[in-house]
C-alpha cells in the first residue's frame, strides 16, 4: 500500500534551517510528483511547491522563493524539503503529498493529492 | 493567483442531516477541483477529485458537483465521524490554492 512517512518534529531557532524528509513506499517513486503543503496551528492549508522525482524539476510558491529547496534521493525513494532563514511564523505542520493525474483531455489532466504524509511539526522559537 | 472562497466558514448540523458546503473560484477552473476532509489532529484526506469523482473508499454519502466557478460538496445523512474541517482546492493553475476551510460540528 502507498505510504508517505515523514521525519519527526523539530525545534529550531530563528534564522536556522530545517530539512523535512518524506520516505515513500508502495509505488514507483519517480512516477508521481511530490508536493509540500504546510499548516500553521489552527489555520488553513498553504501550498509551498512541487517536485518531479524523476527529473528533479521543482516549482515553488512565490512566497517561499529563495528560502525553500525541494530535492530527492531516488535510491531511497525519499523527498526532502529544506526551509532556510526560519522565522516564528514558519511554525507549522509540514506535509508531503503525492500528486497524481486523474482525467486527461487535450493535453491537460485533473489532478489529486491522493496520499499524504503524517505531517512534521516544525517549531521556530528563540 | 486564483482565489478560492468557501462558505460557510463553520456550521453545526445533526446526525442524519444533509450538509452543503460551497466553494467559489475567482475565475473559471473547469472541473479541476478537489475536496479534502481533515479530522482533528490528523492529516487531510482526499474525498473527491475532478469535481465529482469519489476517491477510493470514501462513503457514498459524500458527493460533489459544479463547474467553472461554483462548486458544492454535499453530505447526505451526516454521521458523527464526519466532524472536522473541509477544504476545496483548485488544480487548474499553479499555485494550487486551497479554500480557507469549513469547520463542521456535530450537534
Amino acid at each position: 500500500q502507498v505510504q508517505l512517512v515523514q521525519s519527526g518534529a523539530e525545534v529550531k531557532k530563528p534564522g536556522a534551517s530545517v530539512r523535512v524528509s518524506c520516505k515513500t513506499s508502495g509505488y514507483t517513486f519517480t512516477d508521481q510528483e511530490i508536493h509540500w503543503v504546510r499548516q500553521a496551528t489552527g489555520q488553513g492549508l498553504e501550498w509551498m511547491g512541487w517536485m518531479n522525482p524523476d527529473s528533479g524539476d521543482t516549482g515553488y510558491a512565490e512566497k517561499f522563493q529563495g528560502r525553500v529547496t525541494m530535492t530527492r534521493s531516488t535510491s531511497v525513494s525519499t523527498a526532502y524539503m529544506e526551509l532556510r532563514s526560519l522565522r516564528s511564523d514558519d511554525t507549522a505542520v509540514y506535509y508531503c503529498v503525492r500528486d497524481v493525474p486523474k482525467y486527461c483531455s487535450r493535453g491537460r489532466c485533473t489532478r489529486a493529492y491522493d496520499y499524504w504524509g503524517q505531517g512534521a511539526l516544525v517549531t521556530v522559537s528563540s | 493567483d486564483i482565489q478560492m472562497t468557501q462558505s460557510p466558514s463553520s456550521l453545526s448540523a445533526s446526525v442524519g442531516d444533509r450538509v452543503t458546503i460551497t466553494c467559489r473560484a475567482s475565475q473559471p477552473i473547469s472541473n479541476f477541483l478537489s475536496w479534502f476532509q481533515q479530522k482533528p489532529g490528523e492529516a487531510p484526506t482526499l474525498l473527491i477529485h475532478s469535481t465529482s469523482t469519489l476517491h477510493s473508499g470514501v462513503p457514498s454519502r459524500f458527493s460533489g458537483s459544479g463547474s467553472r466557478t461554483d462548486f458544492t460538496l454535499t453530505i447526505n445523512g451526516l454521521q458523527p465521524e464526519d466532524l472536522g474541517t473541509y477544504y476545496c482546492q483548485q488544480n487548474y493553475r499553479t499555485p494550487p490554492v486551497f479554500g480557507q476551510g469549513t469547520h463542521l460540528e456535530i450537534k
Side-chain angles (χ1 to χ4, degrees):
Chain A
Q1 72 283 21
V2 174
Q3 286 191 303
L4 282 68
V5 179
Q6 297 183 231
S7 47
E10 304 256 17
V11 179
K12 297 291 183 181
K13 293 197 182 304
S17 299
V18 68
R19 190 175 83 153
V20 179
S21 67
C22 173
K23 183 168 178 57
T24 71
S25 59
Y27 73 103
T28 302
F29 176 61
T30 50
D31 278 355
Q32 311 297 349
E33 290 182 4
I34 293 288
H35 291 218
W36 291 85
V37 173
R38 77 177 187 179
Q39 184 173 40
T41 303
Q43 302 301 306
L45 301 169
E46 181 176 33
W47 181 79
M48 298 182 69
W50 64 271
M51 182 193 62
N52 180 317
D54 186 29
S55 64
D57 288 347
T58 55
Y60 305 132
E62 193 171 334
K63 173 176 180 174
F64 300 104
Q65 289 275 0
R67 273 208 310 144
V68 71
T69 303
M70 296 174 188
T71 58
R72 88 289 193 213
S73 170
T74 56
S75 63
V76 291
S77 301
T78 299
Y80 304 94
M81 187 281 299
E82 181 185 43
L83 189 61
R84 300 177 293 279
S85 302
L86 289 169
R87 308 184 286 254
S88 57
D89 62 358
D90 290 318
T91 295
V93 175
Y94 289 77
Y95 295 102
C96 59
V97 298
R98 189 179 82 155
D99 178 54
V100 298
K102 289 296 186 181
Y103 298 134
C104 299
S105 172
R106 288 176 283 183
R108 292 203 61 176
C109 302
T110 63
R111 306 190 69 86
Y113 288 172
D114 64 349
Y115 288 93
W116 293 62
Q118 83 277 18
L121 174 62
V122 175
T123 303
V124 183
S125 173
S126 54
Chain B
D1 296 357
I2 297 174
Q3 303 305 313
M4 305 299 292
T5 305
Q6 286 182 235
S7 61
S9 55
S10 66
L11 74 134
S12 181
S14 301
V15 172
D17 281 355
R18 183 184 192 199
V19 169
T20 298
I21 298 169
T22 64
C23 181
R24 175 162 287 177
S26 60
Q27 58 185 268
I29 59 169
S30 184
N31 67 331
F32 289 65
L33 187 101
S34 297
W35 289 96
F36 300 90
Q37 176 192 56
Q38 186 176 32
K39 297 183 179 181
E42 298 183 7
T45 58
L46 177 66
L47 289 175
I48 288 169
H49 68 83
S50 311
T51 296
S52 58
T53 302
L54 237 56
H55 184 53
S56 174
V58 173
S60 59
R61 62 180 179 272
F62 291 92
S63 64
S65 63
S67 67
R68 290 180 56 83
T69 60
D70 294 300
F71 302 86
T72 300
L73 172 69
T74 301
I75 309 173
N76 274 304
L78 188 68
Q79 297 300 303
E81 60 267 30
D82 298 336
L83 75 94
T85 304
Y86 292 80
Y87 295 93
C88 62
Q89 184 206 30
Q90 66 84 16
N91 52 84
Y92 185 73
R93 291 209 190 287
T94 300
V97 172
F98 293 89
Q100 80 278 19
T102 295
H103 180 69
L104 173 58
E105 263 187 9
I106 310 295
K107 283 182 190 171

